[in-house]
Amino acid sequence: VRHIGLGFGPFITAGQKSDRFHWTATDMGGWHLGLQIPGLRLGLESALASLAHASPKRVVVQTAKAMPYTVDAELFPGVTSLSIEAGPEIRFLVV
């Protein structure tokens, strides 16, 4: 997915390799990240540079205590380890 809606396109490497996905991470707090939103919306290089970008095949997120997570607005119970992997490319036909 290259865009997250409303014109936001922060996933600069999305779609470059079919066996990988775009991973964006930051250690910014909510307030500082909120200040970056206008720049991210405009695609400004300075705002994109404030985030870490990678194109992995797999990412494992580990936390000290169980944390709940969401996928497409569905809430899942807390876990201490979450593995995210690239799957097969899906193509949609729109008539």
Side-chain angles (χ1 to χ4, degrees):
V1 175
R2 289 187 183 109
H3 302 278
I4 57 175
L6 302 174
F8 283 80
F11 308 124
I12 55 179
T13 64
Q16 289 181 354
K17 294 182 180 178
S18 63
D19 65 335
R20 297 177 180 269
F21 59 93
H22 184 93
W23 178 259
T24 303
T26 185
D27 61 355
M28 283 186 269
W31 179 253
H32 188 242
L33 184 58
L35 293 174
Q36 298 297 318
I37 289 176
L40 292 171
R41 169 65 174 82
L42 295 171
L44 298 179
E45 200 169 310
S46 60
L48 291 170
S50 67
L51 305 172
H53 302 273
S55 292
K57 291 183 179 184
R58 181 173 188 247
V59 169
V60 177
V61 178
Q62 295 180 319
T63 60
K65 69 178 197 176
M67 296 181 67
Y69 65 98
T70 84
V71 175
D72 291 334
E74 185 174 350
L75 185 60
F76 294 91
V79 296
T80 57
S81 182
L82 180 67
S83 177
I84 305 164
E85 296 185 42
E89 186 174 339
I90 300 173
R91 295 187 182 268
F92 293 93
L93 175 63
V94 180
V95 181

